[in-house]
Amino acid sequence: MSAMDATPYALPNSDAEHEQLQEIWAPKRGLFSWFAQIDHHSIGRRFIFTAFVWFGLGGLLAALMRIQLAKPNNTFLSADQYNQIFTMHGTTMMFLFAVPVMEAVAIYMIPLMVGTRALAFPRANAYAYYLFLFGGIMLYVAFFLNMGPDAGWFNYVPLAGPEFSPGKRIDIWAQLVNFTEISALTVAVEIIVTIFKMRAPGMSINRMPLYVWSMLVTAFMIVFAMPSVMTASNFIGLDRLVGTHFFNRAEGGDVLLWQHLFWFFGHPEVYIIFIPGLGMVSAIIEAFCHRRIFGYTAMVMSLVATAFIGFGLWVHHMFAVGLPQSGQSFFTAASMMIAIPSGIQIFCWIATIWMGKPNFRPPLMFVLGFVAIFVIGGLTGVMLASVPIDLQVHDTFFVVAHLHYVLIGGAVFPLLAALFYWFPKMTGRLMNERVGHISFWLAFIGFNVTFFPQHKLGLVGMTRRIYTYLPETGWGPLNLLSTIGAGILALGMIAYVGNALYSMKWGPIAGSNPWDGATLEWATTSPPPHYNFLHIPTVSGLEPLWNNPENAPVVTGLATDKRELLITRMLDAEPDHRFVFPNPSIWPFISAVSTAGMLVSLLFSAWALPIGTVIVAIFLTLWFWPTTPKKEGEEPPNDGAAEAVA
Amino acid sequence: MTLLALLSGRGFQSALEPAGTHAARIARLWDIFLIVSVVVWVLVMIALLMAAFRRRRAQHDETAGATNTVSIATGITAVTLFALLVSSVLTGRSIVDKTAPGALQLIVTGHQWWWQVEYDDPQKSNRFQDANEITIPVGVPVNIQLRSSDVIHSFWVPNLNGKQDLIPGHDGTIQLLANKPGVYRGQCAEFCGLQHAKMSLWINAVTPDEYAKWLASSRQPSKIPSTPEQRIGQQVFMSSPCPLCHTIQGTDAGGKTAPDLTHFASRRSIAAATLPNRRGYLAGWIVDPQHLKPGSQMPPMLMKQGELEPLLAYLESLQ
């Protein structure tokens, strides 16, 4: 197991080794096996698909709101419907789409980009997916039963407390947070471990693609931010279910505790959503300008700096609360400072485009659109960091405009770019470029027509979360314009999704590297085999595929009769040991079902916790029950076998 | 942009048309931020478009030049942000509520979904209440104590100042200093439940003379009904559930959970500044408030034949 030879990364499919690896790694057929799958491709695809279903529903809710607001005193929706709908829209987009879809893309792409066979903790990955799915189903079932949460995605107490929101609506919101955050935290850990320990030999930490860096930073942010909101959601669940007084001031609780806990998660959440987007943008600019991203080190440091500063500005959501001046100035300074790393990245991308040869295919168009939109979002963010300006525009449509510029501009545009870019890798087929251009222009124009006027609406007094307004306010025309824009934006989205669905079946065959990309995911066939690479590649630079890939050595000697893969060291990615991966298992699915059962039962009785814990523990024990090592290949990690590759 | 300017609001609820000292300072700061932002965006777009569409010359290494350009751009970004930070902090200090001598003291309490306004005075008999409408003199600072009786609300009159939350358990304050007479509209800015959209208020900024007159009349108890119809109306009011929630000074009605009606007829609007104070709307509001503002705490009143008209006449007499 010490030889390296000069074989290309992916060999013809007829190879005998391929047959054997396929036998070992491919999921079995049948319904039972479908639920037992742990393969990162299938879980990643399901994750992306599910997240887009929630995205579509969240978008439909947005359309309903835009129809309601198109004219003053409209009666299309009632106050109660509108309040449920805006709460559902925010909750769906933040908890069921933005974070999960970014993690979902990473589940699929990260193992390919770091050059390994699988994602770490594959069974946990399946568990995370099913919890995400069940959480979303619970939320929408409740919504269709007219039990949708109605206190906003931020769920402020005391409005969301037992006194002012009786019924189960808020409990459903709180439990959804538990579902999605267990899922998000699990996936974050998988991503961190995959990136730290499973990179191809030679991919030292300073040779990681920027997208991999961005997901590493994001995953760490998730690990530090999500526990805060889970704490908050369980506090409110307890206040509501068993009568604790975390937020009840009559009994010594405090309503501001909620806001601090929520925004300590809520602000980093924004960065969790768009930092992956920044990584995608870097990947696409590199591929379509055919040039290394200018200022790699500066880019990485900017990502890390953004993550750190991102935890230091949650109070800028609370300026109107009336906190002490000096404290507010600190958060103003921190909020403005975060513009510096973002600026550095924008400048480096522009320099890359300047020095490269831009090829204006649809992914690059989405990226250019992203820059135009995201810079506006960043600048309005600087405005909101200023306490006096924030006191005027806080909780108005100015903020609605700002956050959509940041999140649609900073995350959805890069995501659409990245899915167009990686679509051939995932499906083996190319999306239609002409429709791609059309969908870009519709989305770009529609987006700006929808959201740009909302800046003005906020400045002329239109507050957020209002189901209607009076004609005397004069807000009607701009709202109508905004609604028209939303229609154009929707057309763009429909064109994009239609393009994807059509191309999945009838698009032209892509080949392994249709864009002449530089990173390892393009080294294998499209779609990749279940084991990703016939031989684990080695890496000697930032752009392995632009550097004579034919001559790059590969790792040989990994067992092909069991799920063996190579663990490397964290910083330099030197081979460390071989590790045998677990086999597919139904227990993650059953554990997820029982966890979901427990969480849903907790809506009604506190007894669900002790009883549910025992049941979940039983299934988790079965999940981790050691199987006979020889037969199933579930032997413990083979630490001594560092003899992997020279 | 010109299109947007044409389509803007009416100006009585706008941060861009300041009528008070605080709002004017914020508007000036806004102008600075807006100009800087527009310049930055235009420069970035020019750089991006030039980078994308420039004519490419023969290959030579431009990395060194790019390093310089990016470093300079980053430096300019940092300096600009620092300048904005300083201007923001300075403006922030200038709009902090100052303890102004001779300032008027008001207490505004947020309820789901209306505003209770108390005009404070060292002399107890001079204190009185109003609802959903605040009258203030031009040129005199007004310190408002903000309280909430239920959930979080936020007090915002954009023409006069930024917003301040009303948080149960944490009293806030805000200062208004109008410098132009006029009528301005405010609205609850923090989502506070079902009828958050219909929780507004009016601010009447009047000259000090007018204010003195208004104050004198507002301190009076309610007018005694002067016509037979109004007298019947008063009896209808007193014998229905109305007094359980509403106060009318000078009568037996002393309920504390709903707006004070002592000078009801002088108000511009009903239902927290969302309906005009006219007979038709008022009749609808009394008979079926849940249709006009579903979820409102006001229950529908079952009126017998011949009761509604006198009741309306009585309420309209409460100048």
Side-chain angles (χ1 to χ4, degrees), chain A residues 192-199 205 216 220 568-570:
Chain A
I192 292 172
V193 174
T194 308
I195 294 175
F196 271 164
K197 297 302 292 175
M198 292 164 67
R199 300 197 306 277
I205 205 137
L216 180 65
F220 268 104
T568 55
R569 286 206 289 266
M570 194 173 114

Side-chain angles (χ1 to χ4, degrees), chain A residues 73 79-81 83 86-87 150-152 154 156-160 164 249 254-256 259 291 294 318-323 325 329 332-333 336-340 343-344 346-348 350-358 360 367-369 371-373 375-376 379-380 382-396 398 452-453 456 458-475 477-478 481, chain B residues 1 3-5 7-16 22-23 26 29-30 33-34 36-38 40-41 44-45 47-48 50-54 56-57 59 61-64 66-68 70 73-74 77-78 81-82 84-85 88-89 91-93 95-96 112 148-152 154 156-170 172 185 187-198 273-276 292-294:
Chain A
N73 279 339
D80 180 50
Q81 285 169 334
N83 293 346
F86 85 72
T87 303
D150 59 353
F154 51 96
Y156 272 10
V157 291
L159 179 61
F164 298 100
R249 82 190 150 98
D254 195 308
V255 296
L256 287 183
Q259 298 190 19
R291 192 197 183 284
F294 172 78
M318 299 167 61
F319 283 155
V321 162
L323 300 169
Q325 275 280 308
S329 302
T332 299
M336 288 191 176
M337 196 160 74
I338 206 156
I340 296 175
I344 291 175
I346 303 267
F347 300 145
C348 287
I350 292 178
T352 311
I353 297 171
W354 183 280
M355 291 184 286
K357 299 182 204 68
F360 300 101
V367 164
L368 295 179
V371 176
I373 293 171
V375 172
I376 294 181
L379 290 165
T380 52
V382 171
M383 294 170 174
L384 288 167
S386 159
V387 176
I389 294 178
D390 181 77
L391 290 180
Q392 280 288 20
V393 294
H394 176 69
D395 273 336
T396 70
F398 186 90
F452 198 80
K456 178 84 186 193
L459 288 163
V460 298
M462 184 164 173
T463 50
R464 293 175 80 174
R465 298 154 187 152
I466 51 171
Y467 72 94
T468 191
Y469 52 91
L470 301 181
E472 298 92 285
T473 54
W475 302 330
L478 281 182
L481 183 64
Chain B
M1 287 305 267
L3 182 71
L4 287 184
L7 292 173
S8 61
R10 295 294 160 81
F12 55 63
Q13 188 172 337
S14 168
L16 301 177
H22 304 81
I26 300 176
L29 183 69
W30 158 259
F33 272 66
L34 178 65
V36 170
S37 299
V38 170
V40 169
W41 188 77
V44 173
M45 284 307 106
L48 178 70
M50 279 175 65
F53 298 109
R54 76 190 184 118
R56 318 246 151 210
R57 273 162 285 150
Q59 288 283 331
D61 190 33
E62 298 165 297
T63 314
T67 308
N68 284 338
V70 168
T74 307
T77 308
L81 284 169
F82 189 73
L84 291 178
L85 174 64
S88 166
V89 170
T91 307
R93 287 183 182 203
I95 58 166
V96 180
Q112 279 180 328
S148 168
S149 73
D150 37 49
V151 302
I152 301 176
S154 193
W156 186 40
V157 186
N159 298 72
L160 298 179
N161 200 346
K163 59 184 66 64
Q164 187 68 44
D165 291 350
L166 290 68
I167 302 173
H170 296 258
R185 195 166 182 269
Q187 193 162 351
C188 177
E190 184 62 76
F191 181 67
C192 57
L194 192 61
Q195 284 298 341
H196 165 61
K198 294 195 171 173
T274 54
L275 293 170
L292 294 167
K293 192 171 171 180

Side-chain angles (χ1 to χ4, degrees), chain A residues 191-213:
Chain A
I191 290 171
I192 292 172
V193 174
T194 308
I195 294 175
F196 271 164
K197 297 302 292 175
M198 292 164 67
R199 300 197 306 277
M203 189 185 279
S204 50
I205 205 137
N206 57 344
R207 288 179 187 157
M208 272 167 29
L210 284 167
Y211 173 72
V212 176
W213 264 111

Side-chain angles (χ1 to χ4, degrees), chain A residues 21-43:
Chain A
L21 280 167
Q22 185 74 9
E23 169 71 24
I24 291 293
W25 285 91
K28 304 281 172 284
R29 291 188 168 277
L31 192 64
F32 180 85
S33 306
W34 197 86
F35 286 106
Q37 274 185 36
I38 56 168
D39 175 40
H40 79 97
H41 309 95
S42 23
I43 300 292

Side-chain angles (χ1 to χ4, degrees), chain B residues 245-263:
Chain B
C245 301
H246 292 282
T247 293
I248 298 180
Q249 293 293 340
T251 71
D252 292 339
K256 296 285 180 207
T257 54
D260 185 304
L261 300 177
T262 309
H263 300 287

